[in-house]
Amino acid sequence: MKNTKRNKTTILPILMIFMIINLPRRTCSVSVVQFIFGDSLSDVGNNNYLTRSLARASLPWYGIDFGNGMPNGRFTNGRTIADIVGDYMGLPRPPAFLDPSLNDDMILENGVNYASGGGGILNETSSLFIQRFSLSKQIELFQGTQEMIRMKIGPESADKFFSQARYVVCMGSNDYINNYLLPVYADSWTYTGDSFTNYVISTLDSQLRLLYALGARKVAFFGLGPMGCIPLQRLMSSDGNCRESTNKLSKGFNKAALQLLNNLTNILPNSSFVFGDAYDYFQDIIDQPGKTWFVSVTQTVLVAPLER
């Protein structure tokens, strides 16, 4: 699926989320950085350092519209959602946690990206990929980062640094696509759709509360798109169209996640948990691709490389 003007047309709904959490464009202090938690939509190279992982962005078409045009660990031909938002807001791009060059000075200047392709809210999600970081693991790695920074600048300055940072969590689709919807996983026959969503949301609740306890005050969580329209789900349908049963799961998760974030904002002092719901936006792209300059939303169409 190729879009000749994708950056302008897909960023607007996402930017609104960051405006809500009071991040002025290009006027923020250099000490304000991002900490990214997520899956392949945000991974900027972590999985490529996981040598036994079966989810690595190392194939030739990854990165063709980014940097030198070679695979760079991003599961996309260009920038990730996190890249686009950070660039627009004037924030530095956080390096991958497993980047060998990462050190405490880089963290203070750029933040860290812990996202891992195949990662899920649940620890058991995507176990078939062998190696990946779940959200719980990513938060554990963040705790290690905090210890490093406290040793570097002291507890008081570190607490201020982490409280001023912006936190992005973009995760949840793998819990369905690479867990509940695959009968090889126990969760697929242990839960109904609704009870599984309750299980995922309950786990997410604990994880976001932990992030808050670790100092996160401004958190943006991005919900699920129309999962039933991804190629794998179309392939599994009888007519090649979107699977509405899977899309129903996306909507149910998004509704529950929104309620969770509203509740956390109301009960946790000085917190802002914002929900980014892009479901309808992306569904509109699928239904009317020409409106956003997509050539096709059901097949790969090669066009000239884009600006990088």
Side-chain angles (χ1 to χ4, degrees), residues 75-277:
F75 289 81
T76 173
N77 56 313
R79 294 180 292 170
T80 67
I81 292 296
D83 289 330
I84 294 171
V85 171
D87 290 351
Y88 189 89
M89 303 309 293
L91 291 175
R93 294 177 182 172
F97 172 79
L98 291 180
D99 186 332
S101 66
L102 183 69
N103 57 37
D104 44 18
D105 289 327
M106 289 179 63
I107 294 171
L108 289 169
E109 294 176 3
N110 302 283
V112 184
N113 186 321
Y114 304 92
S116 171
I121 293 169
L122 304 177
N123 289 335
E124 62 264 32
T125 289
S126 301
S127 61
L128 291 178
F129 294 152
I130 303 179
Q131 281 186 305
R132 75 282 176 225
F133 293 152
S134 66
L135 181 52
S136 291
K137 181 62 177 180
Q138 292 178 35
I139 295 174
E140 179 185 325
L141 297 175
F142 173 64
Q143 289 177 285
T145 298
Q146 288 191 309
E147 291 303 314
M148 180 190 303
I149 297 304
R150 287 193 177 96
M151 292 179 64
K152 173 76 173 181
I153 63 176
E156 184 175 344
S157 296
D159 288 345
K160 181 178 180 181
F161 170 73
F162 288 111
S163 67
Q164 290 181 339
R166 269 53 182 182
Y167 297 80
V168 178
V169 183
C170 184
M171 191 175 280
S173 61
N174 284 311
D175 294 292
Y176 293 91
I177 300 300
N178 289 306
N179 186 346
Y180 177 70
L181 293 172
L182 292 181
V184 296
Y185 289 96
D187 287 346
S188 69
W189 39 267
T190 302
Y191 298 95
T192 65
D194 289 342
S195 64
F196 181 73
T197 294
N198 291 338
Y199 171 37
V200 176
I201 291 295
S202 174
T203 305
L204 179 63
D205 184 5
S206 299
Q207 292 163 334
L208 294 180
R209 288 174 185 267
L210 176 55
L211 273 179
Y212 175 84
L214 295 172
R217 291 298 179 266
K218 294 190 181 296
V219 181
F221 179 86
F222 291 98
L224 306 182
M227 295 187 300
C229 298
I230 67 173
L232 176 62
Q233 291 296 302
R234 287 178 180 269
L235 182 65
M236 296 171 64
S237 67
S238 59
D239 56 6
N241 291 323
C242 300
R243 297 185 73 188
E244 290 309 314
S245 60
T246 304
N247 283 343
K248 183 179 178 181
L249 293 171
S250 294
K251 293 177 182 177
F253 175 87
N254 287 346
K255 180 179 179 180
L258 174 60
Q259 293 173 343
L260 168 62
L261 296 173
N262 287 340
N263 181 56
L264 292 176
T265 299
N266 289 333
I267 65 176
L268 298 178
N270 303 314
S271 69
S272 176
F273 289 85
V274 181
F275 181 70
D277 188 354

